[in-house]
Structure formats: structure tokens, C-alpha cells
């Protein structure tokens, strides 16, 4: 995986320095509903300001991206207007694309510079709109014609042309520890109250596998809450195999706190029971299990992914019994205080039938293996090995 980062730089003037920038950032964010906090543990995000001693003062955040339409509208444009200065953003996407944006509201300039490409980024480079802030326009234009092994490598050529200090363009939260603490000021904020999740809990699967379960092999499926926080969850296994106990599950446990090592687990004892609709299920309940609220809107893509990972929880189990029934396995996660917010996993459900699932599974994996040769742990499915129920 490549490098992701996003930062902002504002050109120093007689009245613009790190302290002025800090003051204006506070006012801009407060006006948007962000609430300043004074302890990291109380905050949704941090904002760090770095004066490298050169032409630009830099800003990075562990919770904001500066290339988005919202950030440009809510942060970059107001900063340029209030301080009558150039605002520059530098963003890197998986080391495949480096994207720069220049805004000068006083001169009515919006300029882009893109090195490489990344899905969804449609901006086109406008090299001429940078001519009054680069030291050599010919070298600047030449940098766009070069090939780079990693997109961020372009910074080595363009940082001096922009007046950025070496490596200033890669300023990000992960690298702050390498800098002198006297050079970095860090502010903490909570997102606006409108970003909270007051609605009922609602669970959804995280990258659900479409591989079939296997006898004697442990499986694990994870969910995350996209609604409000709650307490209590039930895990249920449904399918035609339950009534006659043609499949059983051993070593069943709930896993959570995935960001810790080792992650936490709770053993589950499944009870065979019949629901009000007459369906037989294996069932376990954890009435005291706390489910964190969904991640607030407004965080950066990377921070959102990190926060969701911390909130994920799942069930791990190993099937035993009749392999013909494996495609019948459906796993349910049910928030006890809002059963309507439950979600269920079944390998074939989105295809409409087991037959359609097997056909698509075999077609897809056949194409993959033709291109890449055999894939470890993957074999094509034989429809005669399963109860199709058609």
C-alpha cells in the first residue's frame, strides 16, 4: 500500500505567521461548529501547525483532508481571503497521484497540479497559473513531463520551485514526532454536533466475504455500527440445517477491539431455539456488550477507516457436520434495542439463488486463475456437492 497524506500551506507575509494562522484557523473552524478541546483524549481530531523557517507555514490534520470541495470552501477559501495570501494544498493518494491546489482569492486564482492519476480525481493541471509563485516556470512545466516511481517523488523537484523547505510538502500527522516540538503547535477539536449519530443503531457488514464456508475451517465476519451507540447484541445462525442439527458450530466467539494486540474475545454458547415465525436458529445473546456509535461525518477518508476499524466487531466460528448444507449458513447480528437495525451474511444471497452464486463464483475465479495461475486456497465449486433446494 502506498502513502496517503493531505496538508495545507499558507504563504507568509508581513502579517501572516504561525500565530496568525492559528488564530484564523480557530475562528474559521469555530464558525463551522467545530469545538476546541484542550486534551487529545477529548477530541475528534487534531490540527498541527508547522513553521519550517521558510516561505510557508504548514498545517496537517489527522481528521481533515484539504483537497475536498468542502475543505476548499470552508477552510482554504476563507484563509486566503482573510489573510490576503496564497493557500497551497498538497495531497498524495496511495503513492499513485500527487495533487496540488493553489488558491489566491485576492488575485482570483485557482490552480491545479497533478502528477500521476487516481480513480475519482478529475482535476487537470494548469501549469501557467503558477508562474508568479514558482522560481522557474520552465523547470516547473518540465516536472510534469517526468515519470516518477512514486507520485510523492515529484516533490523533490517542485518543492524548491515553490519555496517549500525539503520534505515540507509531506508534512503529516505520522511524521510530527520526527520534528522539533518547538516547531509544531497542535490544536484539538470536536466535530460539529450535526456530525453526531443520534439515530437508532444500524449494523452493516465490513467487506463481507463471498467465499463459501468450509467444514473444519474457522470463519469470521465483521460488522460496524453506522447509527447511534447502544448496548446489547445477539448472534444467530439460521438455515435448513438447524432443525435436525445437520451442521453445528464450535469455537464460537465474539471478537472486538481489533486495534489491540491481542484483540478481545468473548466465548459464545449457542442455544437452539425456535423463533416466533417458526424458524429454527442457533442463538446467543450478549445484553451488556457495548456497541459504539457510528463514525461522525466530516472526518478524512483515512481517519474514518481507522475509526471504523476500532469499532468493528465480529463472530468467529468453525462449522462441523454435513458439507452439503454449507451454503445454507446465514449469520445474523442483531442490536437488541433495535432489531430492525440487524444485518445478515449469506454467501449466495445477493445472487438470488445458490445455482446463480455457484455459476458466477466459478466464472469469476476461472478468469482470475487463467490470468494469474492457481490461487492458494481457492477451488471451483461443484454444484452436486450442495443441497440446492430448487
Amino acid at each position: 500500500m502506498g502513502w496517503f497524506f493531505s496538508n495545507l500551506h499558507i504563504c507568509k507575509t508581513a502579517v501572516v505567521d504561525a500565530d496568525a494562522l492559528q488564530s484564523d484557523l480557530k475562528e474559521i473552524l469555530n464558525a463551522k461548529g467545530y469545538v476546541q478541546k484542550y486534551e487529545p483524549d477529548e477530541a475528534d481530531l487534531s490540527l498541527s501547525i508547522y513553521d519550517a523557517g521558510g516561505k510557508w507555514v504548514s498545517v496537517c490534520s489527522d481528521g481533515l483532508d484539504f483537497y475536498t470541495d468542502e475543505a476548499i470552501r470552508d477552510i482554504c477559501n476563507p484563509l486566503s481571503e482573510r489573510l490576503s495570501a496564497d493557500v497551497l494544498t498538497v495531497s498524495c493518494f496511495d503513492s499513485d497521484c500527487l495533487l496540488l491546489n493553489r488558491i489566491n482569492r485576492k488575485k482570483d486564482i485557482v490552480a491545479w497540479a497533478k502528477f500521476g492519476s487516481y480513480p475519482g480525481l478529475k482535476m487537470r493541471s494548469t501549469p501557467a497559473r503558477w508562474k508568479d509563485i514558482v522560481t522557474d516556470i520552465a523547470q516547473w512545466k518540465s516536472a510534469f513531463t517526468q515519470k516518477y516511481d512514486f507520485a510523492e517523488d515529484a516533490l523533490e523537484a517542485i518543492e524548491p520551485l515553490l519555496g517549500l523547505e525539503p520534505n515540507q510538502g509531506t508534512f503529516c500527522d505520522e511524521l510530527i514526532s520526527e520534528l522539533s516540538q518547538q516547531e509544531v503547535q497542535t490544536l484539538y477539536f470536536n466535530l460539529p454536533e450535526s456530525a453526531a449519530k443520534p439515530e437508532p443503531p444500524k449494523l452493516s457488514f465490513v467487506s463481507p466475504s463471498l467465499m463459501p464456508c468450509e467444514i473444519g475451517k474457522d470463519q469470521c465476519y465483521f460488522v460496524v455500527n453506522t447509527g447511534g451507540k447502544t448496548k446489547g447484541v445477539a448472534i444467530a445462525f439460521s438455515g435448513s440445517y438447524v432443525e435436525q442439527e445437520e451442521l453445528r458450530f464450535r469455537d464460537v466467539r465474539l471478537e472486538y477491539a481489533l486495534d489491540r494486540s491481542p484483540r478481545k474475545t468473548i466465548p459464545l454458547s449457542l442455544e437452539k431455539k425456535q423463533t416466533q415465525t417458526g424458524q429454527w436458529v442457533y442463538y446467543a445473546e450478549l445484553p451488556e456488550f457495548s456497541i459504539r456509535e457510528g463514525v461522525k461525518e466530516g472526518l478524512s477518508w483515512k481517519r474514518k477507516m481507522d475509526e471504523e476499524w476500532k469499532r468493528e466487531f465480529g463472530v468467529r466460528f468453525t462449522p462441523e457436520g454435513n458439507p452439503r448444507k454449507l451454503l445454507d449458513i446465514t449469520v445474523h447480528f442483531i442490536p437488541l434495542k433495535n432489531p430492525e437495525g440487524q444485518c445478515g451474511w449469506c454467501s449466495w444471497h445477493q445472487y438470488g439463488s445458490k445455482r446463480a452464486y455457484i455459476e458466477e463464483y466459478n466464472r469469476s475465479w476461472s478468469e482470475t486463475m487463467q490470468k494469474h495461475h492457481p490461487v492458494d486456497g481457492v477451488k471451483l465449486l461443484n454444484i452436486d456437492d450442495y443441497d440446492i433446494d430448487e
Side-chain angles (χ1 to χ4, degrees):
M1 185 175 177
W3 204 1
F4 287 89
F5 62 82
S6 181
N7 52 47
L8 176 150
H9 312 267
I10 191 156
C11 193
K12 292 180 182 177
T13 68
V15 295
V16 176
D17 58 14
D19 291 335
L21 179 56
Q22 179 180 153
S23 176
D24 279 273
L25 279 170
K26 285 182 187 178
E27 289 188 23
I28 289 170
L29 290 176
N30 287 340
K32 295 297 177 183
Y34 290 77
V35 179
Q36 187 173 5
K37 295 291 180 179
Y38 297 93
E39 295 295 334
D41 293 343
E42 299 176 349
D44 292 323
L45 59 90
S46 66
L47 201 71
S48 297
I49 301 169
Y50 170 47
D51 186 349
K55 179 179 177 181
W56 300 86
V57 181
S58 302
V59 180
C60 74
S61 172
D62 65 356
L64 296 173
D65 288 321
F66 295 108
Y67 63 88
T68 66
D69 291 340
E70 293 79 6
I72 291 170
R73 180 193 67 222
D74 295 343
I75 300 176
C76 302
N77 284 346
L79 271 180
S80 179
E81 193 151 3
R82 291 166 67 112
L83 298 173
S84 298
D86 272 295
V87 171
L88 168 68
T89 68
V90 182
S91 304
C92 186
F93 304 86
D94 205 18
S95 292
D96 292 329
C97 182
L98 184 74
L99 182 69
L100 283 74
N101 176 218
R102 176 203 176 186
I103 294 171
N104 189 308
R105 298 285 284 181
K106 186 175 182 179
K107 297 179 180 179
D108 195 24
I109 292 175
V110 177
W112 294 94
K114 186 166 72 168
F115 301 84
S117 63
Y118 192 75
L121 295 180
K122 306 299 184 183
M123 300 81 164
R124 300 182 63 182
S125 297
T126 52
R129 296 182 187 175
W130 299 78
K131 62 183 179 181
D132 59 323
I133 64 166
V134 297
T135 56
D136 189 318
I137 190 63
Q139 288 188 38
W140 172 254
K141 291 181 177 180
S142 176
F144 290 86
T145 67
Q146 308 302 311
K147 299 294 183 183
Y148 303 96
D149 292 333
F150 303 99
E152 64 269 18
D153 292 346
L155 286 169
E156 185 175 351
I158 65 176
E159 278 179 330
L161 301 176
L162 290 164
L164 289 166
E165 297 298 303
N167 302 316
Q168 192 174 2
T170 59
F171 179 53
C172 61
D173 193 62
E174 290 82 357
L175 300 182
I176 288 177
S177 61
E178 301 178 11
L179 303 172
S180 167
Q181 295 305 302
Q182 285 72 36
E183 297 174 325
V184 180
Q185 306 173 50
T186 301
L187 307 174
Y188 301 98
F189 293 90
N190 270 352
L191 289 165
E193 290 185 10
S194 60
K197 298 282 187 177
E199 63 266 26
K202 181 177 176 56
L203 304 181
S204 62
F205 278 94
V206 179
S207 302
S209 171
L210 295 180
M211 301 289 285
C213 294
E214 296 182 37
I215 295 295
K217 181 177 180 181
D218 81 332
Q219 320 287 324
C220 199
Y221 304 105
F222 290 95
V223 299
V224 68
N225 184 19
T226 60
K229 66 180 179 180
T230 188
K231 181 178 286 189
V233 67
I235 306 297
F237 293 81
S238 67
S240 63
Y241 56 88
V242 178
E243 184 173 4
Q244 301 300 321
E245 301 184 16
E246 295 170 270
L247 285 176
R248 299 288 303 199
F249 304 106
R250 61 175 171 82
D251 302 328
V252 185
R253 58 192 183 274
L254 195 80
E255 294 190 0
Y256 64 106
L258 307 188
D259 57 323
R260 304 179 190 178
S261 183
R263 58 185 57 174
K264 295 186 176 182
T265 63
I266 302 174
L268 299 179
S269 179
L270 298 177
E271 172 192 0
K272 179 182 172 183
K273 61 183 297 185
Q274 197 169 21
T275 68
Q276 292 180 347
T277 62
Q279 182 183 29
W280 286 96
V281 297
Y282 295 129
Y283 183 86
E285 218 173 73
L286 292 168
E288 297 303 315
F289 182 73
S290 294
I291 301 175
R292 296 180 64 183
E293 72 281 2
V295 176
K296 293 179 180 179
E297 300 295 333
L299 291 177
S300 69
W301 174 85
K302 183 178 183 302
R303 179 65 182 274
K304 182 176 186 292
M305 296 292 288
D306 289 344
E307 288 300 315
E308 285 188 342
W309 182 54
K310 295 176 184 178
R311 289 162 163 76
E312 289 176 25
F313 63 96
V315 63
R316 188 177 295 275
F317 60 94
T318 300
E320 299 284 357
N322 183 0
R324 297 188 60 82
K325 294 292 186 180
L326 286 170
L327 294 187
D328 288 13
I329 296 174
T330 300
V331 187
H332 307 263
F333 290 78
I334 308 165
L336 295 179
K337 295 183 180 178
N338 183 40
E340 293 79 10
Q342 68 178 281
C343 60
W345 174 90
C346 175
S347 61
W348 60 266
H349 189 264
Q350 74 177 67
Y351 296 92
S353 72
K354 298 174 188 175
R355 184 179 297 275
Y357 162 72
I358 291 174
E359 290 173 353
E360 177 58 24
Y361 179 96
N362 287 343
R363 184 199 65 77
S364 177
W365 278 111
S366 292
E367 290 183 359
T368 299
M369 289 189 280
Q370 285 175 4
K371 293 178 182 178
H372 305 288
H373 306 295
V375 180
D376 288 344
V378 173
K379 60 182 180 180
L380 300 185
L381 304 180
N382 184 344
I383 198 167
D384 295 328
D385 291 340
Y386 300 95
D387 286 348
I388 300 302
D389 301 330
E390 293 181 348

